[in-house]
């Protein structure tokens, strides 16, 4: 059950929003107040007891958001703005003051239901999680780290019901967010790190792109100049926070080995090193595994994944393992059709081509990294009583 406070400047629209909330399928309690965004401070006491604040104001401008920062910082809740055709400056200002959702009027039923589900999931999730960090890295560009990271994240979120965060750490031209959504992210890793002193759960929420009820994406820096401003200490602070908020944190590290990526690899529970059956990958792949050894990573931390696997390729699996000096933990088949179709539609392969060998390979990789915990077996006594109870049950129903 989530507690919603709706502050609306129009009785007619607040009735309409109320009706749309009802259709969301999420359990909630609603309080409605008549007012405008610029009067927000006056409602601070009511806001403090809510899980979600919805502010509906037709005349909202970036300037009127100044009071929001103070109120939201004290309340630690999700805030949704509803306004016709929000401008880019309004969106940016909203993000800066910690507003998580900006929806345009008239409201889309689906969008509001998704936002409510997200708030409810956050509330039900409890306060602390034990997020496992898995980095997906490679020794060369174009290996498939982004495809693998995105699909792994989607599988864990949609099929395994885990709360997942995907971080795009690519420092050249980050593109992971394009594979899962056709909208611009509210902020990038560089934006977040440039305001690292403000980092808390609410600010983080405002920076991530919410692409599924269980999956958030933190977009990459966008260009190498912005990426150069990232510092290991920023990432350390962010990883400490997100480990508590998510079950799984997948980092698309890409191909760079530098102080920044090494910092993330140090803090990862597992590294998936992606290679292909090609002489260039073998050479740099071997070098990369040597660097991992020099960094002191135990062999069990690194899993070699062969992408675009072809059993007829000149470099066979035994040759590859011998050259790398490591066992291959998993293989993903080459499937250009489904990989390209999914890419062009901005939908993950595991959704767009669920039955394909590539999608199934990703699901198996997710199982390898996050083994499904079997339900505990029943004890001897409960099994004994269970078998005795059945005949009695049968007799009862027969009479
Ligand atoms: N198993 C696969 N079968 C067929 N095509 C694939 C497969 N995996 C990846 N691809 C394709 O290879 C290309 C590169 O993939 P991707 O962008 O994931 O690689 P990357 O390692 O992230 O590259 P970059 O170095 O540019 O970040 C994409 O066009 C993708 O669709
Ligand atoms: Mg990539």
């Amino acid at each position: 059950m989530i507690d919603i406070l709706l502050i609306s400047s129009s009785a007619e629209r607040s009735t309409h929003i109320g009706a749309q909330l009802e259709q969301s399928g999420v359990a909630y309690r609603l309080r409605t107040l008549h007012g405008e965004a610029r009067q927000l401070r006056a409602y601070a006491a009511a806001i403090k007891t809510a899980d979600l604040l919805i502010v509906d104001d037709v005349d909202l401008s970036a300037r009127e958001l100044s009071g929001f920062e103070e109120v939201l910082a004290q309340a630690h809740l999700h805030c949704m703005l509803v306004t016709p055709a929000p401008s880019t400056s309004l969106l940016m200002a909203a993000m800066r003051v910690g507003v998580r959702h900006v929806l345009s009027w008239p409201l889309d039923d689906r969008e509001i239901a998704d936002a409510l589900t997200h708030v409810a999931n956050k509330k039900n999730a409890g306060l602390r999680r034990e997020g496992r960090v898995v980095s997906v890295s490679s020794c060369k560009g174009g290996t498939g780290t982004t495809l693998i990271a995105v699909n792994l994240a989607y599988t864990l979120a949609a099929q395994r019901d885990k709360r997942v965060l995907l971080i795009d750490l690519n420092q050249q031209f980050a593109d992971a967010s394009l594979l899962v959504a056709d909208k611009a992210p509210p902020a990038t890793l560089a934006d977040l790190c440039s305001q690292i002193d403000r980092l808390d759960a609410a600010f983080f929420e405002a920076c991530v792109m919410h692409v599924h009820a269980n999956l958030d994406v933190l977009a990459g820096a966008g260009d190498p100049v912005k990426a150069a401003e990232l510092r290991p200490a920023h990432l350390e602070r962010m990883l400490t926070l997100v480990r508590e908020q998510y079950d799984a944190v997948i980092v698309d590290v890409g191909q760079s080995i530098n102080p920044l990526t090494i910092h993330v690899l140090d803090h990862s529970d597992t590294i998936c090193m992606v290679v292909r059956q090609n002489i260039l990958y073998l050479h740099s792949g071997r070098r990369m595994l040597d660097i991992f050894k020099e960094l002191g990573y135990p062999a069990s931390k690194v899993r070699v994944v062969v992408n675009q696997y072809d059993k007829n390729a000149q470099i066979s699996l035994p040759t590859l393992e011998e050259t790398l000096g490591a066992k291959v933990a998993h293989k993903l088949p080459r499937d250009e059709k489904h990989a390209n179709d999914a890419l062009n539609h901005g939908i993950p392969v595991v959704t767009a081509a669920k039955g394909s060998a590539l999608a199934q390979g990703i699901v198996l990789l997710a199982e390898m990294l996050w083994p499904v915990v079997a339900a505990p077996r029943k004890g001897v006594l409960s099994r004994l009583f269970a078998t005795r109870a059945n005949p009695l049950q049968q007799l009862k129903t027969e009479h």
Side-chain angles (χ1 to χ4, degrees):
M1 167 82 73
I2 54 172
D3 219 307
I4 304 176
L5 176 64
L6 169 61
I7 300 180
S8 175
S9 57
S10 142
E12 194 187 322
R13 277 200 319 276
S14 62
T15 312
H16 197 97
I17 293 173
Q20 285 184 295
L21 293 174
E22 255 184 67
Q23 288 170 17
S24 69
V26 174
Y28 66 91
R29 190 169 43 232
L30 177 66
R31 286 174 293 155
T32 307
L33 296 173
H34 182 78
E36 289 164 6
R38 60 192 164 83
Q39 306 166 319
L40 203 69
R41 282 197 190 94
Y43 304 114
I47 292 170
K48 267 190 185 153
T49 54
D51 299 307
L52 170 65
L53 168 67
I54 305 178
V55 181
D56 164 47
D57 194 332
V58 264
D59 295 315
L60 195 62
S61 73
R63 208 150 30 94
E64 270 139 14
L65 290 176
S66 58
F68 275 59
E69 188 162 15
E70 187 193 322
V71 175
L72 296 183
Q74 286 168 7
H76 297 293
L77 84 175
H78 296 257
C79 179
M80 180 191 291
L81 290 184
V82 180
T83 190
S87 64
T88 315
S89 63
L90 181 71
L91 288 173
M92 289 302 292
M95 193 271 286
R96 254 182 261 122
V97 298
V99 172
R100 175 67 182 88
H101 310 269
V102 179
L103 306 186
S104 49
W105 179 265
L107 286 176
D108 179 67
D109 283 346
R110 178 69 197 267
E111 231 177 340
I112 198 158
D114 278 353
L116 252 65
T117 309
H118 182 69
V119 176
N121 281 350
K122 281 274 176 184
K123 185 169 184 185
N124 296 338
L127 293 175
R128 279 172 161 257
R129 289 175 182 257
E130 293 285 319
R132 261 167 57 75
V133 180
V134 170
S135 285
V136 186
S137 72
S138 78
C139 49
K140 281 214 154 299
T143 323
T145 60
T146 303
L147 181 138
I148 295 172
V150 163
N151 282 280
L152 205 49
Y154 216 88
T155 303
L156 290 168
Q159 297 183 24
R160 299 278 303 276
D161 202 26
K162 303 224 174 273
R163 286 272 309 130
V164 184
L165 172 68
L166 172 66
I167 302 175
D168 187 347
L169 194 63
N170 280 283
Q171 288 155 68
Q172 284 296 316
F173 299 107
D175 52 11
S177 63
L178 301 177
L179 269 72
V180 275
D182 57 3
K183 56 185 177 187
T188 66
L189 179 59
D191 298 331
L192 185 146
C193 290
S194 69
Q195 301 181 61
I196 197 74
D197 291 337
R198 299 187 50 203
L199 183 64
D200 61 12
F203 182 63
F204 190 81
E205 273 278 303
C207 292
V208 292
M209 184 160 70
H210 171 52
V211 298
H212 175 276
N214 273 339
L215 173 61
D216 293 337
V217 177
L218 180 58
D223 70 61
V225 179
K226 284 192 173 169
E229 287 160 17
L230 302 175
R231 296 284 169 269
H234 299 160
L235 297 182
E236 174 150 6
R237 208 166 144 182
M238 185 187 69
L239 284 177
T240 306
L241 176 87
V242 301
R243 270 186 190 272
E244 289 181 359
Q245 314 274 326
Y246 296 90
D247 301 311
V249 179
I250 312 276
V251 190
D252 178 7
V253 173
Q255 54 169 315
S256 313
I257 289 277
N258 56 39
L260 203 67
T261 52
I262 288 178
H263 190 81
V264 172
L265 295 174
D266 281 350
H267 285 78
S268 299
D269 297 283
T270 302
I271 302 168
C272 282
M273 195 189 92
V274 188
V275 293
R276 287 178 58 183
Q277 294 157 290
N278 171 312
I279 195 76
L280 298 173
Y281 287 88
L282 287 194
H283 178 261
S284 24
R286 173 69 199 226
R287 183 69 199 108
M288 196 158 184
L289 287 173
D290 288 343
I291 294 174
F292 288 165
K293 264 191 212 141
E294 285 159 23
L295 289 169
Y297 301 162
S300 57
K301 176 167 169 166
V302 183
R303 309 285 171 91
V304 176
V305 175
V306 181
N307 190 27
Q308 308 216 26
Y309 176 68
D310 174 1
K311 66 176 183 339
N312 300 317
Q314 275 191 344
I315 296 175
S316 67
L317 222 48
T319 312
L320 194 130
E321 289 183 332
E322 198 185 322
T323 320
L324 291 179
K327 282 272 168 216
V328 168
H330 195 67
K331 310 186 289 285
L332 292 169
R334 177 180 300 158
D335 183 346
E336 270 160 28
K337 185 189 173 323
H338 289 126
N340 282 334
D341 282 358
L343 183 67
N344 293 336
H345 290 100
I347 305 171
V349 179
V350 286
T351 310
K354 210 171 175 179
S356 67
L358 179 55
Q360 285 169 8
I362 300 270
V363 171
L364 289 176
L365 180 62
E367 275 170 23
M368 187 182 87
L369 297 167
W370 270 267
V372 182
V373 182
R377 290 192 60 192
K378 286 186 177 164
V380 177
L381 279 179
S382 50
R383 267 185 279 148
L384 193 65
F385 284 119
T387 43
R388 282 202 180 153
N390 281 343
L392 287 176
Q393 191 67 38
Q394 264 179 2
L395 284 176
K396 265 191 199 161
T397 45
E398 274 168 19
H399 283 105

